[in-house]
Amino acid sequence: MRETLDFLLHDWLDVATLLQRPRFAEHSTETFASVLDTCERIAREKFAPFNRQADVQEPHFDGERVHLPESTHAAMAAYVDSGMLAAAQDYEVGGMQLPCVIEMAANAFFSKASVAMGGYAMLTSGNASLLMAHGTPVQKDVFAKHLFAGRWFGTMCLSEPQAGSSLSDVATRAVPDGADAQHDPLGPRYRLKGNKMWISAGEHELTENIVHLVLAKIPGPDGRLVPGTRGISLFIVPKKLVGTDGALTGERNDVALAGLNHKLGYRGTTNTLLNFGEGRFPVRAAQGGGLDGRGAGAIGYLVGEPGQGLRCMFHMMNEARIGVGLGAVMLGYAGYEASLAYAMNRPQGRPMGPRGKDAAAPQIPIVQHADVKRMLLAQKSYVEGGLALELYCARLVDELATGDDTQRHAAHTLLEVLTPIAKSWPSEWCLEANSLAIQVHGGYGYTRDFPVEQYWRDNRLNMIHEGTHGIQGLDLLGRKVVMDGGAGLKLLATRISATIERAGHVTGLAEPANALAAALQRLGAATKAAWATGNPEEALANATPYLQAFGHVVLAWLWLDVALAAERGSSSLKPGKLAAMQYFFAYELPKIDAWLGVVARREAVCRTMQPDWF
Ligand SMILES: Cc1cc2nc3c(=O)[nH]c(=O)nc-3n(C[C@H](O)[C@H](O)[C@H](O)COP(=O)(O)OP(=O)(O)OC[C@H]3O[C@@H](n4cnc5c(N)ncnc54)[C@H](O)[C@@H]3O)c2cc1C
């Protein structure tokens, strides 16, 4: 994997050009490499050997405390020591000012070694980055700084038992905490009451405190909650209250663990139902304030403006979605490598010659059977293609942060359409890779003696959280490809066409270039046809097949672009990259015809089917 990572970063994305930007001027290709080396080593030594243990010894709640294996504590301590929580942040806040693309590449090692242990870190740096973007100077100093330093870990609390995909139905309430609520130095102070479901890393003792970022609604003057997402605000709710000096006050906030969820996979990350403000840990008085007269309530400090909570949270969710996509890719990668190693060593069957098999011949390793090669090539095309996708998006984040106006505008426009793909495509296809990895192992893959079943279970989450697959499709077809007159799709088409143009002149790449041109044309036509009646119900009934087709076109484009880079250089990886590209064009890209077919004719069966006909 390291070789492919280096090839994608240097031969394909040419990350050295980032060194010309003032923000990265103190770096060099050597510092980039040393970050990758360090992370690869920590992941190999502190994460990978304990991935199974984190699964088997899932978090346990004894009624008072949540217990995690000692190895998780050690892994997280090593991660914190590496400084990776603040890798992309400014030097002034203890960061390394690394490009996002290098940060993501470095984090890939942890996702591959133990995605569940890595979950705590991803949430913490996402939480702190959000506060850097939307918090007050005091909130940055008191909360973000200690999160980046790993003294505290963070969460994101959006979901509620009755509000998952439909966040507009969030029912957690936040009311001002007393007369001086607006003057608390930590931010306007509120009391929160409500239940948050599915909260990852919501309880543990890995750090001395947990900083929850919570979506809640501030009632209007009539005491009612504003319907829709407009009424949602964002609050910092620490598990233990802190002063402006960052020291714990010694008082517990009214956030209680109602219970742990027992999951299919991803078991190393605790998953919790949290009760806010139910009086389990009544807060006597908030700093500088009196009792609010409303009884129990968890103290929370408003972030940004009231009603802007979802907008602020999306800041974190876009980063989180690239992170989720990368996690899905790396689980796929782990399964690919495991099944490749197995296939190289498992003797079974004899070669098929022109006159059939010779029963007297010795057995061959299964990697020599065409059907096993098919399964390995599929995995290779999914996981290496997925890695290219995530690195490309991370590179766009760097353009957004450090490019000139034109580059920033282009990066923003492209990220709008690519983020749903970055999250959803690997969630589906690198999960399929994990299924194929099990298949390559035969019966052994179906046992817990081999790691591949855990990779599949861990990866199954990714189509569900951070916006389900269905919701990503609705976002893409319902919003992203139509916004600003379709600017995102147009710019993407321009980029894809540039690759097609270049590939058209290279021997061996003209045929896939033509296939991609035809696919792009079909995608554009289907997008128009879906919206031809202007009726969202008709257009969006097939949003998921649209998402699948869109993703496959994007991946075909990236594979062709990667193949161009392989053709340019003399890397020993070249034949493998070209074969994976060829596989993707031969076996995968043609699938878009079926998906776009239902989109373009606005196939009605899913829309018109009646619940009582099932
Ligand atoms: C392990 C795990 C970790 C999680 N971590 C966190 C976390 O840290 N913080 C947090 O806030 N949340 C977290 N979540 C919650 C996660 O984001 C939600 O599970 C997800 O948003 C879906 O919500 P739901 O489970 O209520 O399902 P529902 O919203 O009820 O969806 C059920 C099904 O219906 C479909 N559906 C729903 N609405 C529509 C619609 N309008 N159109 C078409 N189809 C629709 C969905 O696509 C899905 O297939 C986590 C979940 C899990 C399982």
Side-chain angles (χ1 to χ4, degrees):
M1 169 228 165
R2 177 64 188 267
E3 275 183 311
T4 289
L5 195 59
D6 286 338
F7 170 81
L8 292 174
L9 289 173
H10 299 289
D11 298 36
W12 181 52
L13 289 176
D14 199 8
V15 292
T17 55
L18 285 170
L19 298 167
Q20 291 151 14
R21 308 242 164 118
R23 181 170 178 79
F24 309 125
E26 287 183 32
H27 282 289
S28 62
T29 48
E30 286 74 31
T31 61
F32 290 169
S34 95
V35 170
L36 296 187
D37 292 344
T38 305
C39 291
E40 189 175 12
R41 181 181 51 75
I42 298 173
R44 186 177 58 242
E45 292 173 0
K46 300 282 186 186
F47 283 64
F50 308 103
N51 190 38
R52 176 61 89 179
Q53 186 183 49
D55 181 65
V56 177
Q57 289 178 28
E58 66 176 310
H60 162 66
F61 182 38
D62 66 11
E64 290 293 324
R65 300 173 50 203
V66 168
H67 302 271
L68 293 172
E70 195 44 47
S71 51
T72 305
H73 289 258
M76 291 324 299
Y79 188 92
V80 167
D81 286 347
S82 76
M84 280 302 291
L85 282 171
Q89 297 299 316
D90 295 355
Y91 295 128
E92 291 87 81
V93 292
M96 297 189 237
Q97 286 192 199
L98 275 177
C100 179
V101 67
I102 301 297
E103 181 193 31
M104 286 278 176
N107 275 324
F109 293 110
F110 299 104
S111 296
K112 178 157 159 270
S114 180
V115 79
M117 286 193 202
Y120 298 98
M122 197 174 92
L123 285 157
T124 300
S125 57
N127 177 315
S129 309
L130 182 150
L131 291 176
M132 291 307 287
H134 301 287
T136 63
V138 178
Q139 289 173 339
K140 288 180 201 178
D141 198 47
V142 174
F143 296 106
K145 199 173 85 185
H146 296 300
L147 287 160
F148 282 135
R151 193 181 141 206
W152 305 334
F153 280 174
T155 71
M156 52 192 284
C157 304
L158 294 79
S159 309
E160 298 181 2
Q162 81 300 339
S165 300
S166 179
L167 286 174
S168 58
D169 292 299
V170 157
T172 299
R173 300 169 74 91
V175 295
D177 182 34
D180 70 337
Q182 291 302 316
H183 305 294
D184 194 307
L186 292 177
R189 198 179 62 244
Y190 287 72
R191 293 271 182 155
L192 275 73
K193 280 187 193 178
N195 314 106
K196 289 288 175 182
M197 181 56 165
W198 302 119
I199 306 311
S200 296
E203 184 57 66
H204 55 73
E205 293 183 356
L206 294 168
T207 47
E208 66 169 17
N209 203 1
I210 301 174
V211 178
H212 303 289
L213 284 179
V214 183
L215 291 183
K217 287 188 173 180
I218 303 169
D222 59 357
R224 296 216 182 126
L225 298 183
V226 180
T229 52
R230 276 180 308 119
I232 300 179
S233 304
L234 180 65
F235 300 87
I236 301 168
V237 185
K239 171 179 157 184
K240 296 175 185 170
L241 293 174
V242 302
T244 45
D245 56 356
L248 302 186
T249 65
E251 196 170 12
R252 174 81 198 245
N253 202 359
D254 195 7
V255 184
L257 176 67
L260 294 176
N261 293 309
H262 300 288
K263 295 175 287 178
L264 177 72
Y266 239 102
R267 292 181 180 164
T269 313
T270 51
N271 191 272
T272 58
L273 171 59
L274 295 178
N275 291 342
F276 289 83
E278 291 204 334
R280 171 90 203 279
F281 302 102
V283 182
R284 271 183 296 111
Q287 310 91 304
L291 277 172
D292 70 339
R294 292 181 184 84
I299 298 288
Y301 307 98
L302 182 71
V303 180
E305 295 298 313
Q308 294 294 309
L310 209 54
R311 199 180 63 80
C312 297
M313 195 57 114
F314 265 97
H315 177 96
M316 181 171 174
M317 284 166 67
N318 282 335
E319 269 182 40
R321 283 175 180 170
I322 299 176
V324 166
L326 185 67
V329 168
M330 296 323 296
L331 281 166
Y333 225 117
Y336 166 56
E337 287 186 349
S339 62
L340 179 59
Y342 184 84
M344 293 282 195
N345 292 306
R346 167 74 174 166
Q348 200 70 193
R350 291 171 176 79
M352 184 74 75
R355 282 188 297 279
K357 291 183 199 168
D358 173 5
Q363 295 204 88
I364 50 168
I366 59 171
V367 72
Q368 293 184 27
H369 297 302
D371 192 55
V372 174
K373 284 192 260 190
R374 173 189 64 79
M375 293 190 278
L376 291 167
L377 264 172
Q379 291 180 65
K380 185 174 168 69
S381 76
Y382 298 151
V383 305
E384 293 184 4
L387 184 57
L389 169 68
E390 303 307 328
L391 294 177
Y392 187 85
C393 289
R395 183 71 182 74
L396 288 177
V397 172
D398 287 321
E399 289 299 301
L400 198 58
T402 62
D404 60 29
D405 283 354
T406 318
Q407 288 166 325
R408 287 197 356 238
H409 180 71
H412 174 77
T413 309
L414 280 172
L415 277 171
E416 289 284 8
V417 286
L418 286 179
T419 304
I421 303 301
K423 191 270 168 184
S424 65
W425 194 88
S427 303
E428 180 169 5
W429 298 100
C430 295
L431 177 69
E432 175 61 16
N434 287 144
S435 179
L436 290 169
I438 294 174
Q439 194 70 20
V440 168
H441 280 74
Y444 298 93
Y446 197 63
T447 70
R448 275 171 282 165
D449 299 327
F450 286 81
V452 283
E453 60 83 33
Q454 185 187 345
Y455 298 145
W456 185 88
R457 286 188 289 106
D458 287 351
N459 219 351
R460 189 60 190 83
L461 171 62
N462 288 317
M463 284 174 80
I464 297 172
H465 69 159
E466 291 290 345
T468 63
H469 220 51
I471 296 299
Q472 298 293 333
L474 294 173
D475 182 41
L476 182 67
L477 182 56
R479 225 165 66 79
K480 298 294 177 63
V481 295
V482 288
M483 66 200 281
D484 301 329
L489 184 51
K490 277 185 202 143
L491 183 55
L492 182 65
T494 310
R495 296 266 169 122
I496 295 177
S497 299
T499 302
I500 292 170
E501 167 66 22
R502 285 190 293 132
H505 304 296
V506 177
T507 317
L509 297 188
E511 199 183 317
N514 288 337
L516 182 58
L520 182 61
Q521 194 276 331
R522 276 199 294 277
L523 181 68
T527 311
K528 279 205 186 78
W531 282 107
T533 58
N535 178 346
E537 202 191 354
E538 287 183 17
L540 299 180
N542 296 298
T544 296
Y546 182 80
L547 178 78
Q548 291 172 304
F550 199 109
H552 262 46
V553 171
V554 168
L555 264 291
W557 161 51
L558 294 176
W559 263 119
L560 189 60
D561 214 61
V562 167
L564 275 167
E567 284 285 2
R568 268 198 308 274
S570 55
S571 167
S572 60
L573 302 179
K574 179 173 155 180
K577 299 285 172 259
L578 293 180
M581 181 277 294
Q582 201 182 337
Y583 174 89
F584 199 85
F585 275 81
Y587 289 77
E588 294 295 331
L589 190 60
K591 290 178 181 170
I592 70 165
D593 286 344
W595 293 322
L596 291 180
V598 294
V599 172
R601 66 171 185 271
R602 298 184 299 284
E603 172 59 51
V605 63
C606 298
R607 183 166 56 81
T608 54
M609 175 75 185
Q610 296 301 304
D612 56 5
W613 297 347
F614 281 108

